[in-house]
Amino acid sequence: MTSTSADRRPAALQALLVGFLIAWIIVAAFPFFWTLWGSFKVEGDFFSKADWANALTGPMTQAETGAAITTQGYYGAWVLNDFWRAAVNTLIVVVSVVTISLTFGTLGGYALARSGYRYVFWILIIALIFRAMPHVTLVSGYLLPFYQWNLWGHLPTAIIVLVAINQPFTLWMLTSFFQNIPKDLDESAMVDGCSRFAAFRLVIIPVMWPGVITTGLFSFLLAYNDFAVTAMLLTQENQTMIPKIASFLGTTQTKGNVMFAVSAVVSATAPLFVLVMIFQRQIVSGLTAGAVKG
């Protein structure tokens, strides 16, 4: 009978590893849960200089609202300051960027992966260099034509720029995934009567699905968390969530704005946890497929 590697570890080492893992999870998760708890307090408690324990007990929250917890921060952010509008704008931008990026990325990545020409390598290198450039540097080149053509401030403008920034990364990722899929699958499908595009759609994409999900998640995070592009190209009415949160912090002298920002941060972070939990299997499968040659 063979024993597993975990069974062969000394008990002290096993306990040390488990303790380290638990400590790491606590340290990593604490900021979010602390912010989540603080979002139900008033500013005087959560940012108390007299006693940090006020953020736990909430004496000022009790005095001001009559309860130990309050949803004033969420009401002020979502209703009084129209954070819901920023959430809708973010949804439009994210869905558009991910859809466009994956559509062109899958087609372009498949074409490059199946191409036998040497220029494919240089195309990918140029794409990687373009992706590595700071976003502010890229956005500055778009400002003048957008002003001249009266395109500044609109959501499609930000979508175009985010797709341009994200497309090289998407192309690089998907090309590497396609290269790990044997060409025999394409050839077998075409022998059975499929066209090149039919083989791509019916045979390759189902095999590639974990890689597409993984790449889509990274595209989602780029568009969802972007500040530089959306802050520079969108008007206040068309702001997405991240610039909107920054606008709360920019006027901290106004009572309640800091707690509006805290509540908005929790609201913006929660969907990320849900998304990762839903697609965790596909993400792991996609990353593994991209790291192992087929």
Side-chain angles (χ1 to χ4, degrees):
M1 181 181 294
T2 60
S3 60
T4 63
S5 59
D7 296 332
R8 292 196 297 268
R9 293 195 191 107
L13 178 59
Q14 187 73 14
L16 180 63
L17 292 175
V18 173
F20 174 79
L21 179 61
I22 294 174
W24 183 85
I25 293 174
I26 292 174
V27 171
F30 176 77
F32 174 75
F33 287 106
W34 180 256
T35 305
L36 175 63
W37 175 260
S39 66
F40 295 103
K41 302 296 181 182
V42 298
E43 183 177 342
D45 282 333
F46 190 50
F47 295 97
S48 175
K49 295 181 180 179
D51 187 359
W52 67 269
N54 288 346
L56 296 175
T57 58
M60 294 188 65
T61 305
Q62 181 76 37
E64 292 183 18
T65 66
I69 61 174
T70 179
T71 57
Q72 287 183 354
Y74 291 95
Y75 180 80
W78 283 88
V79 179
L80 299 182
N81 288 275
D82 293 337
F83 192 70
W84 65 269
R85 191 183 303 275
V88 172
N89 292 337
T90 301
L91 179 63
I92 295 172
V93 170
V94 167
V95 171
S96 300
V97 170
V98 172
T99 301
I100 297 172
S101 296
L102 288 183
T103 299
F104 287 101
T106 51
L107 294 174
Y110 179 72
L112 291 176
R114 294 298 185 258
S115 175
Y117 294 102
R118 294 184 178 181
Y119 62 73
V120 170
F121 172 78
W122 295 108
I123 290 177
L124 294 176
I125 290 296
I126 293 172
L128 190 62
I129 294 174
F130 185 82
R131 179 64 180 85
M133 295 177 63
H135 293 182
V136 176
T137 303
L138 298 172
V139 173
S140 61
Y142 291 100
L143 288 177
L144 182 58
F146 284 159
Y147 278 126
Q148 291 178 339
W149 299 338
N150 197 28
L151 297 176
W152 182 87
H154 304 290
L155 288 179
T157 302
I159 293 170
I160 291 171
V161 176
L162 287 173
V163 168
I165 292 173
N166 183 58
Q167 198 65 70
F169 170 78
T170 305
L171 193 64
W172 179 279
M173 285 280 291
L174 290 172
T175 299
S176 66
F177 283 124
F178 280 122
Q179 287 174 342
N180 292 328
I181 298 177
K183 294 183 179 180
D184 296 343
L185 290 178
D186 310 57
E187 296 171 356
S188 298
M190 288 187 288
V191 167
D192 291 337
C194 289
S195 64
R196 171 69 71 174
F197 181 74
F200 165 76
R201 182 172 59 88
L202 300 176
V203 178
I204 303 301
I205 287 297
V207 177
M208 262 286 296
W209 196 242
V212 173
I213 294 294
T214 303
T215 307
L217 177 64
F218 283 111
S219 301
F220 170 88
L221 293 176
L222 169 80
Y224 192 85
N225 296 324
D226 178 80
F227 175 79
V229 174
T230 52
M232 294 180 65
L233 295 182
L234 295 177
T235 61
Q236 187 173 2
E237 293 76 17
N238 289 329
Q239 279 183 337
T240 53
M241 288 193 291
I242 304 303
K244 186 68 174 180
I245 293 172
S247 69
F248 291 143
L249 297 175
T251 54
T252 56
Q253 300 300 322
T254 304
K255 180 178 175 58
N257 270 7
V258 174
M259 297 314 299
F260 297 163
V262 172
S263 301
V265 166
V266 174
S267 302
T269 307
L272 300 180
F273 281 93
V274 175
L275 188 72
V276 172
M277 292 301 295
I278 292 175
F279 293 107
Q280 58 177 323
R281 292 181 181 272
Q282 289 84 355
I283 294 170
V284 173
S285 300
L287 291 175
T288 304
V292 180
K293 282 288 182 184

